[in-house]
């Protein structure tokens, strides 16, 4: 092309524009579009598809309207793909009613919604906790003669589980095979998560066993859900038994799974075991990440080992991981619980210097401390003024 032997056509331009829009580089994409127009190459529906998709992801709805108008003025009418991009973007922004209005508009324009349209709106309502509305869309889809796919079922099952309405989720799960579809690993993971969420441990164990007997291979998320559930309800031995099997097989044992185990042990008062696993990470070729350090700091603070927690913080920084708002709040809560106000105030300065503030849990704990010992406030203010000098 640079030698002038080949001129890019609309196909080539669309590829470049789509890549730029997916990367969020709309300005560069517009420059390419202007170059197209100068060469008298007219944008087509794929060109507008890319721009509208990019603008939706950036939440620039006014510009989306402008591009829609421009497209229509050029007698390029939106197809179901473009409407779906807009509907999905609105739903992810929480503007589900607006998305429904777009769907009604597309029907008026003679463009029939497809399963992607309905799934996007269902997902939008489920994310807002409005499962009844999502179920209404599900039923409308069926009435229109569109058979739900496994994604449709998974969206609705997840909505029920998020609302802790696990019986409804289980009922829908039973309907899947009756309707000619098949559950997948995501379906099982979602219901497992829901069962653990409402404390139905026996049912969760049974469901996990059924998943294995049905021939499904658990993925990383399955094992994370089960391990988290076991640790949450104090089933430490069962959690370690599963983890040891996975570790022996080297199956789905990346750093995030170790984070689950280290955190679970720490939360169940088994800090020494958590520390031992943390210390062997380098021996098995795994590097702790920021979350690993935060989990260890949290465990140390729970045991009142604040000097070790502080050392872990510095080790975290030495290894290239910056402490975040969670790190500082955990440490401040540790100092508060141990009535180490001087150290807490020092961390307050470091926190504010990095743009972090107390979260709701830390604020609540501080209020309780001040309620029981009002003199602590004077101490904090005095120490803070000295530090600021």
């Amino acid at each position: 092309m640079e030698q002038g032997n080949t001129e890019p056509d609309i196909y080539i331009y669309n590829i470049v524009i789509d890549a730029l829009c997916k990367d969020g580089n709309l300005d560069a994409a517009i420059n390419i579009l202007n170059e197209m127009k100068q060469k008298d190459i007219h944008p087509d529906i794929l060109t507008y598809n890319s721009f509208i998709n990019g603008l939706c992801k950036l939440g620039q709805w006014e510009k989306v309207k402008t591009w829609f108008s421009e497209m229509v003025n050029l007698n390029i009418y939106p197809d179901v793909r473009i409407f779906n991009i807009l509907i999905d973007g609105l739903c992810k922004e929480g503007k589900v009613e607006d998305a429904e209005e777009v769907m009604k508009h597309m029907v008026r324009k003679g463009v029939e919604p497809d399963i992607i349209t309905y799934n996007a709106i269902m997902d939008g309502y489920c994310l807002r906790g409005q499962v009844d509305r999502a179920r209404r869309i599900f039923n409308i889809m069926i009435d229109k003669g569109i058979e739900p796919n496994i994604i449709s079922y998974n969206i609705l099952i997840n909505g029920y589980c998020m609302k802790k309405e696990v019986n409804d989720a289980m009922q829908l799960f039973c309907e899947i095979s009756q309707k000619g579809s098949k559950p997948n690993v995501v379906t099982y993971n979602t219901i497992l998560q829901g069962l653990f969420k409402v404390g139905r441990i026996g049912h969760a164990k049974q469901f996990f066993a059924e998943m294995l007997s049905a021939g499904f291979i658990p993925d990383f998320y399955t094992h994370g859900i089960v391990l988290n559930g076991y640790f949450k309800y104090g089933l430490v031995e069962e959690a370690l038994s599963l983890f040891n099997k996975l570790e022996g097989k080297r199956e789905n044992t990346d750093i995030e799974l170790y984070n689950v185990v280290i955190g679970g042990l720490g939360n169940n008062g088994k800090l020494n075991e958590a520390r031992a696993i943390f210390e062997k990470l380098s021996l098995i070729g795994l590097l702790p990440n920021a979350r690993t350090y935060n989990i260890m700091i949290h465990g140390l603070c729970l045991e009142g080992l604040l000097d070790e927690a502080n050392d872990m913080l510095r080790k975290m920084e030495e290894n290239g991981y910056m402490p975040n708002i969670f790190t500082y709040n955990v440490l401040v809560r540790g100092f508060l619980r141990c009535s180490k106000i001087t150290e807490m105030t020092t961390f307050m300065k470091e926190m504010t210097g990095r743009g972090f503030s107390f979260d709701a849990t830390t604020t609540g704990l501080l209020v309780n401390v001040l309620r029981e010992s009002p003199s602590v406030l004077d101490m904090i203010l005095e120490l803070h003024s000295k530090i600021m000098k």
Side-chain angles (χ1 to χ4, degrees), residues 77-129:
Y77 292 99
D79 60 9
V80 69
R81 289 174 298 173
I82 291 185
F83 278 116
N84 284 345
I85 289 167
L86 180 55
I87 286 169
D88 186 57
L90 287 167
C91 289
K92 284 183 168 60
E93 290 273 321
K95 301 176 179 180
V96 195
E97 289 84 2
D98 292 342
E100 275 212 70
E101 288 301 315
V102 172
M103 184 169 69
K104 291 173 185 175
H105 175 76
M106 66 188 281
V107 172
R108 288 194 296 269
K109 294 295 182 181
V111 181
E112 282 300 315
D114 59 12
I115 196 164
I116 296 172
T117 321
Y118 288 108
N119 283 348
I121 294 177
M122 282 169 53
D123 193 40
Y125 278 128
C126 285
L127 290 173
R128 291 198 335 195

Side-chain angles (χ1 to χ4, degrees), residues 15 20 42 50 57 83 140 146 204 267 293 298:
I15 290 173
L20 290 168
H42 301 288
S50 299
K57 287 179 179 176
F83 278 116
I140 289 172
I146 299 174
N267 290 334
Y293 285 108
H298 178 65

Side-chain angles (χ1 to χ4, degrees), residues 271 298-309 334 337-338 340:
L271 183 62
H298 178 65
L300 291 164
C301 286
L302 284 177
E303 296 293 323
L305 302 172
L306 300 178
D307 288 340
E308 282 192 57
R337 290 191 190 99
C338 295
K340 295 194 173 184

Side-chain angles (χ1 to χ4, degrees), residues 137-168:
I137 298 296
F138 183 83
N139 293 335
I140 289 172
M141 177 171 65
I142 294 172
D143 292 341
K144 294 279 187 182
I146 299 174
E147 283 298 319
N149 58 15
I150 191 58
I151 296 172
S152 316
Y153 284 106
N154 286 345
I155 288 168
L156 203 50
I157 286 171
N158 185 51
Y160 281 127
C161 288
M162 286 171 65
K163 294 277 287 182
K164 299 185 178 181
E165 297 171 358
V166 183
N167 287 337
D168 290 322

Side-chain angles (χ1 to χ4, degrees), residues 204-385:
K205 288 182 183 179
Q206 182 182 345
F207 195 73
F208 184 45
E210 288 174 5
M211 175 184 179
L212 298 177
S213 64
F216 287 93
I217 299 173
D219 60 12
F220 165 80
Y221 297 102
T222 318
H223 290 136
I225 289 164
V226 174
L227 287 170
N228 260 318
Y230 286 167
F231 280 121
K232 180 180 178 181
Y233 295 101
L235 304 176
V236 178
E237 294 306 317
E238 293 186 52
L240 288 178
S241 174
L242 174 59
F243 176 67
N244 290 335
K245 288 177 185 175
L246 296 175
E247 198 176 33
K249 296 177 184 176
R250 291 284 181 216
E251 186 177 327
N252 290 330
T253 49
D254 67 2
I255 189 60
E256 289 304 326
L257 207 69
Y258 279 89
N259 287 345
V260 171
V261 176
I262 293 168
L265 288 168
N267 290 334
N268 281 277
K270 296 187 176 294
L271 183 62
N272 287 336
E273 290 90 335
R275 189 191 279 114
I277 291 176
F278 176 81
E279 289 173 352
K280 81 170 185 179
L281 288 175
S282 59
L283 300 176
I284 59 176
L286 281 178
L287 292 175
N289 58 20
R291 180 170 152 74
T292 321
Y293 285 108
N294 281 338
I295 289 168
M296 281 302 301
I297 290 168
H298 178 65
L300 291 164
C301 286
L302 284 177
E303 296 293 323
L305 302 172
L306 300 178
D307 288 340
E308 282 192 57
N310 194 16
D311 290 342
M312 187 66 70
L313 169 67
R314 302 312 165 197
K315 186 176 181 180
M316 176 182 183
E317 291 178 306
E318 287 169 10
N319 288 326
Y321 296 103
M322 292 300 293
N324 56 24
I325 190 168
F326 176 84
T327 321
Y328 282 111
N329 274 285
V330 164
L331 282 160
V332 169
R333 288 199 293 271
F335 289 127
L336 273 174
R337 290 191 190 99
C338 295
S339 301
K340 295 194 173 184
I341 307 302
T342 304
E343 292 88 340
M344 188 209 75
T345 311
T346 303
F347 270 91
M348 280 174 60
K349 181 191 175 186
E350 193 171 320
M351 274 183 78
T352 52
R354 293 187 173 182
F356 299 129
S357 57
F358 289 169
D359 61 19
T361 305
T362 307
T363 303
L365 182 59
L366 181 58
V367 168
N368 289 335
V369 170
L370 294 175
R371 189 180 292 123
E372 293 175 8
S373 306
S375 60
V376 170
L377 179 60
D378 296 329
M379 193 186 306
I380 291 173
L381 293 172
E382 182 182 348
L383 287 166
H384 188 62
S385 63

Side-chain angles (χ1 to χ4, degrees), residues 13-14 16-22 24-34 36-37 43-60 63-68 70-71 82 85:
Y13 276 116
N14 279 343
V16 177
I17 286 172
D18 189 57
L20 290 168
C21 289
K22 283 178 178 173
N25 197 345
L26 273 295
D27 290 338
I30 289 171
N31 288 338
I32 298 292
L33 177 65
N34 291 333
M36 276 176 61
K37 291 178 178 178
D44 62 11
I45 194 165
L46 294 177
T47 321
Y48 284 96
N49 189 325
S50 299
F51 276 105
I52 289 169
N53 193 17
L55 290 166
C56 285
K57 287 179 179 176
L58 295 173
Q60 297 181 7
K63 289 185 178 179
V64 169
K65 291 177 186 176
T66 302
W67 280 84
F68 252 84
E70 181 181 318
M71 180 171 58
I82 291 185
I85 289 167

